[in-house]
C-alpha cells in the first residue's frame, strides 16, 4: 500500500568516477515521477550545455540576489565560480509528491542535511578504490598523474560517507538503481514520515 | 551488492487479527534464511502445539531460572502464565547472518527495542479498524461483544505504533511481505550498519 504521498529529498553524493549520473539515469528511466534538482551557476556554459538542463546559468549579480533572498538551499564557490541549489523547484516538487534527487558534492550535501533533516542521504561508492582507478584509466583520456590526483580526492570524499544514511555500491548500474528504489520505498514506510497514518487507520470507520 | 552480513533483529508487532502470522508465513516462504524466534512459556501446550515450534514449554522453576541467568531478552506475565524470549538462539542466528523475527506484543516489543537499539521495529496495521472488525466478524467464530472487546484492544495497540520504525499496512498478504523485504534490504544498506564498508572500499587496493 501507498503510505506518505509527500516526496523525498534525496541527497546523492559520491566520488567523481563512481557513475552517479549513469545510475541516476537508470533510476529515472524506471521512475519518471522522480526529479533531478538543477543547480544555478555563474560559470559559462560549455558546448552542448543547455540553460535549465545541466545548470541554470546566471550572472554573478543574479546569483548574489538569489542568495540574499534565501532562494538557495546551499551554495559554494569552486574554481572562482558560484554554484547553488534553487529552493523553489525542490519545494514545489516535494509537495507534488515527486522524489527529488540532489546530486551534490559532500560539503554541499552536509549543508543540505543540516537544513533539511527529513532528507535522505545516499552515498554511492565504487566497489573499491582500485576499481575506481581502473575505471578512470579505462577512459584513456587522462594522464596517470591526473588519475592519481582524482583517486586521492575520491579517498577524501569516501571518508565523508559516514555523514550519509545509506551506502550503495555501484557494482552494476541496474542493481545500484534498484537499491536506491528499495531505500526510497522503505523510507516512505517510516512511521515518522506518516504522522496521519495511525489516525487514519483508527478513524476510518 | 551485499553489504552487512550480520542478521537483523526485527521486532514485529501489530494488533491481533491483522494477519501477522500469515504475512510472516508468506515472507518466510520467499526468505528461507530468515528465522522466527520461539518464546518460552509456562502455560500448558494446547492440542497440536509442539515443544520448540509454537513455544518452548517450560516449568515455572525453569522459567524463573532462565530469568535469573539473564537468558531471556524480555519476559511478561499474561493471564497467570509467564512468557519470555530466549536470548541465545537469537544471538546465534544473528551472528550466522540470519534475520530474526520477534513476533511480540507492544509492551514486550518496547522492552526489546530498549535493550537492542539496533533492532528494527515493524508495526503491521489493518487498512482500517473498520476492516479489522469485518475480518474478525468474518471468521464467524466470535460473539459481537468479543469482537468489540478485541477492536478496543486493537485501537490501544495501534496507538503504540509510534514507537516503531516502520508501518506496513496489510492490504494484501503478498504486498505486505514484499514491503517487509524492502525494509530489511534497505536497512542493510545503512552506513551505520556497515562500519567496515568504507574502510574496505578504501583499502581493497
Amino acid at each position: 500500500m501507498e503510505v506518505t504521498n509527500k516526496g523525498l529529498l534525496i541527497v546523492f553524493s559520491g566520488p567523481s568516477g563512481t557513475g552517479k549520473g549513469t545510475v541516476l539515469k537508470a533510476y529515472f528511466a524506471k521512475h519518471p515521477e522522480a526529479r533531478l534538482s538543477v543547480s544555478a551557476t555563474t560559470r559559462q556554459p560549455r558546448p552542448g550545455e543547455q540553460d535549465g538542463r545541466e545548470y541554470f546559468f546566471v550572472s554573478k549579480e543574479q546569483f548574489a540576489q538569489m542568495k540574499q533572498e534565501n532562494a538557495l538551499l546551499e551554495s559554494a564557490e569552486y574554481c572562482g565560480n558560484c554554484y547553488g541549489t534553487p529552493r523553489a523547484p525542490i519545494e514545489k516538487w516535494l509537495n507534488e509528491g515527486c522524489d527529488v534527487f540532489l546530486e551534490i558534492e559532500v560539503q554541499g550535501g552536509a549543508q543540505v542535511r543540516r537544513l533539511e533533516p527529513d532528507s535522505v542521504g545516499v552515498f554511492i561508492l565504487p566497489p573499491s578504490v582500485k576499481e575506481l582507478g581502473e575505471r578512470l584509466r579505462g577512459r584513456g583520456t587522462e594522464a596517470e598523474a591526473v588519475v592519481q590526483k582524482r583517486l586521492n580526492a575520491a579517498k577524501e570524499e569516501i571518508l565523508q560517507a559516514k555523514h550519509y544514511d545509506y551506502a550503495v555500491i555501484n557494482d552494476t548500474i541496474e542493481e545500484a538503481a534498484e537499491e536506491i528504489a528499495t531505500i526510497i520505498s522503505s523510507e516512505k514506510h517510516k512511521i515518522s514520515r506518516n504522522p496521519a497514518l495511525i489516525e487514519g487507520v483508527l478513524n476510518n470507520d
Side-chain angles (χ1 to χ4, degrees), chain A:
Chain A
M1 57 102 215
E2 268 309 307
V3 272
T4 180
N5 51 17
K6 194 163 186 288
L8 283 189
L9 178 60
I10 299 110
V11 178
F12 191 67
S13 303
S16 132
T18 319
K20 287 192 295 294
T22 322
V23 169
L24 280 189
K25 215 168 156 180
Y27 180 86
F28 285 121
K30 290 202 175 166
H31 299 271
E33 78 288 0
R35 298 285 179 269
L36 180 63
S37 165
V38 177
S39 299
T41 183
T42 59
R43 85 152 161 75
Q44 290 303 306
R46 292 181 191 144
E49 285 184 343
Q50 205 175 296
D51 187 41
R53 191 179 66 187
E54 281 80 10
Y55 287 98
F56 292 107
F57 295 100
V58 297
S59 68
K60 288 194 171 177
E61 293 70 31
Q62 284 173 311
F63 195 93
Q65 197 181 345
M66 289 171 90
K67 254 186 106 161
Q68 206 195 328
E69 289 170 350
N70 198 24
L72 298 175
L73 197 52
E74 58 77 40
S75 66
E77 213 177 307
Y78 183 71
C79 299
N81 295 306
C82 298
Y83 295 81
T85 302
R87 185 193 298 274
I90 294 179
E91 289 180 353
K92 178 176 161 282
W93 285 330
L94 293 177
N95 285 326
E96 287 170 0
C98 299
D99 301 320
V100 183
F101 283 78
L102 202 56
E103 190 190 329
I104 193 167
E105 40 62 58
V106 289
Q107 279 81 6
Q111 279 188 57
V112 175
R113 302 297 314 280
R114 272 194 299 275
L115 286 166
E116 303 285 334
D118 283 350
S119 64
V120 179
V122 176
F123 198 91
I124 189 154
L125 290 162
S128 67
V129 170
K130 187 181 169 197
E131 180 150 341
L132 181 60
E134 283 162 13
R135 287 184 194 175
L136 292 175
R137 282 182 201 101
R139 296 180 180 176
T141 52
E142 285 162 310
E144 183 57 26
V146 177
V147 169
Q148 280 304 331
K149 206 179 151 188
R150 291 187 61 180
L151 285 180
N152 286 334
K155 286 181 187 173
E156 286 301 314
E157 279 182 83
I158 289 170
L159 287 170
Q160 303 304 313
K162 61 179 182 290
H163 300 303
Y164 286 70
D165 300 310
Y166 296 96
V168 168
I169 295 195
N170 188 11
D171 264 330
T172 76
I173 291 158
E174 288 302 325
E175 269 179 28
E178 191 53 50
E179 286 168 9
I180 293 169
T182 297
I183 289 164
I184 291 176
S185 171
S186 175
E187 277 284 333
K188 289 190 176 180
H189 281 82
K190 280 207 175 154
I191 287 173
S192 57
R193 295 193 189 278
N194 291 278
L197 182 70
I198 294 173
E199 237 167 293
V201 169
L202 287 173
N203 295 330
N204 187 12
D205 62 1

